[in-house]
Amino acid sequence: MSVIYQRVALIGLGLIAGSMAHAMRRAGLAGEIVGTARSAETREVAREIGLCDRIVDTAAEAVVGADLVVLCVPVGAMAAVAQEIAPHLAEGATVTDVGSVKREVIEAVGPHLPEGVHFVPGHPLAGTEHSGPRSGFAELFDYRYTLLTPPEGTDPAATERLKTLWEGCGAIVEEMDADHHDLVLAVTSHTPHLIAYTMVGVADDLRRVTDSEVIKYSAAGFRDFTRIAASDPTMWRDVFLSNKDATLEILGRFTEELFALQRAIRTGDGDHLHAYFTRTRAIRRGIIQAGQDTDAPNFGRAPGRKDGAG
Ligand code: NAP
């Protein structure tokens, strides 16, 4: 692969930015990678581990001369960062982000960007429950989807160039309308996270089942819930606050179905339960056939790298 951008500025140096830095280096996609983070501590760690070619103290400084700027901060912090960098962006630069919600980011970032700067929002559907500058790894995006949601009127050449970068990072790239993205992710990621948070909270409340029993006897289902529920609280708070409508819509449907299953259990309606579980089993098979998961233990991934989409 050859260099796609001469200078990439990573704003925020956590799991996603770190993984991008590793993946871009693996394929030689960036002439130079400049990074910055809010706290001196994160910047120091990033310097120590050589995460980027250069670490600077402010976002304003980081974007100078960059032909790609990637906003890798929580969704709720995007507007302030966009405001800070706007006067320092180079003519013709592309600004993108990796936020888990797209409509709110477009509304928060778009108005700050000057004429002559391209804005191509994005979302890699890959993540882990870990965060911070040490958590990234080059393989995170391999064979995972990255969705780009360019607003109407975006220069197709800017979108195409960013697509090439993500493909170089190992991702499969597709374009999607921002509102549709938010609905799809409410179903596939956001609501499941909320359910996991709830289930772990419920187990914690059940004092008749001791903590050690929960851990000792936890079957795969609950263990997966605890892994998901260990995700970064700031990131997930922002996801729910900014994808409110779609999440509430899906939660409403979820609650209705849950009540129906609850009634079936109470009334001993085995046919209902069996038919329901048969339908859901078919969905799982569909996911495997689409190549997005495997029947292999640990989903066929290296131990400790079981990932999910934010
Ligand atoms: P992370 O590891 O927690 O890193 C977040 C970075 O943002 C840190 O460098 C942090 O700086 C900085 N930051 C936090 N609050 C900030 C604020 N108010 N102003 C400026 N900077 C701030 O997060 P991540 O997992 O990489 O997530 C980054 C983005 O990717 C989020 O928008 C998230 O929705 C999206 N995403 C996450 C996943 C996932 O599974 N984790 C997947 C796909 C997309 P300090 O370290 O200095 O505090």
Side-chain angles (χ1 to χ4, degrees):
M1 254 298 163
S2 53
V3 169
I4 314 284
Y5 294 96
Q6 290 306 323
R7 185 178 293 169
V8 177
L10 298 173
I11 314 298
L13 292 172
L15 170 72
I16 301 295
S19 298
M20 283 188 81
H22 290 300
M24 287 190 289
R25 278 187 172 162
R26 180 181 67 175
L29 304 172
E32 187 190 23
I33 303 172
V34 183
T36 191
R38 171 183 59 169
S39 69
E41 190 190 342
T42 298
R43 297 195 297 270
E44 206 36 58
V45 171
R47 280 193 191 103
E48 196 184 302
I49 62 174
L51 192 60
C52 301
D53 300 314
R54 223 159 25 96
I55 300 290
V56 295
D57 288 348
T58 64
E61 231 179 304
V63 304
V64 172
D67 45 0
L68 179 69
V69 175
V70 193
L71 309 181
C72 305
V73 297
V75 170
M78 298 273 182
V81 171
Q83 194 171 12
E84 182 189 342
I85 62 171
H88 309 280
L89 291 166
E91 170 80 23
T94 293
V95 173
T96 186
D97 75 296
V98 296
S100 306
V101 177
K102 295 278 55 88
R103 175 57 59 198
E104 188 134 321
V105 169
I106 290 174
E107 281 167 11
V109 173
H112 294 291
L113 302 184
E115 283 284 312
V117 166
H118 308 288
F119 180 34
V120 187
H123 179 202
L125 305 191
T128 75
E129 69 278 27
H130 302 296
S131 47
R134 293 185 195 274
S135 60
F137 53 97
E139 301 79 18
L140 179 66
F141 311 113
D142 286 351
Y143 312 110
R144 295 275 146 191
Y145 282 101
T146 288
L147 301 176
L148 300 181
T149 63
E152 245 183 68
T154 305
D155 179 1
T159 306
E160 199 52 38
R161 194 170 164 200
L162 184 62
K163 181 173 183 241
T164 311
L165 180 92
W166 275 112
E167 285 171 349
C169 289
I172 309 161
V173 183
E174 284 189 3
E175 280 182 49
M176 197 180 268
D177 166 73
D179 293 321
H180 190 64
H181 165 279
D182 291 352
L183 181 63
V184 170
L185 267 290
V187 175
T188 58
S189 169
H190 305 167
T191 309
H193 266 81
L194 200 68
I195 294 164
Y197 280 124
T198 316
M199 197 54 228
V200 173
V202 167
D204 193 43
D205 286 343
L206 281 179
R207 295 296 172 201
R208 279 168 299 163
V209 181
T210 65
D211 286 354
S212 63
E213 281 173 318
V214 167
I215 291 159
K216 190 170 163 193
Y217 302 122
S218 73
F222 187 74
R223 268 207 308 270
D224 281 350
F225 276 157
T226 59
R227 181 180 63 78
I228 293 168
S231 300
D232 185 66
T234 306
M235 169 187 156
W236 284 98
R237 177 202 63 195
D238 286 4
V239 165
F240 293 116
L241 294 181
S242 58
N243 198 17
K244 189 171 166 178
D245 293 346
T247 312
L248 287 178
E249 157 80 16
I250 302 304
L251 261 184
R253 287 169 187 241
F254 175 82
T255 315
E256 283 171 24
E257 304 251 338
L258 193 63
F259 277 140
L261 289 174
Q262 199 177 348
R263 191 174 51 242
I265 294 170
R266 190 179 325 105
T267 59
D269 186 351
D271 288 349
H272 180 96
L273 295 174
H274 194 270
Y276 200 92
F277 301 155
T278 304
R279 188 156 67 87
T280 51
R281 194 179 207 189
I283 293 172
R284 165 77 187 162
R285 289 200 179 120
I287 292 171
I288 292 170
Q289 275 159 16
Q292 280 304 295
D293 215 332
T294 125
D295 261 341
N298 200 18
F299 303 94
R301 294 178 197 123
R305 293 214 165 154
K306 224 182 336 169
D307 54 330

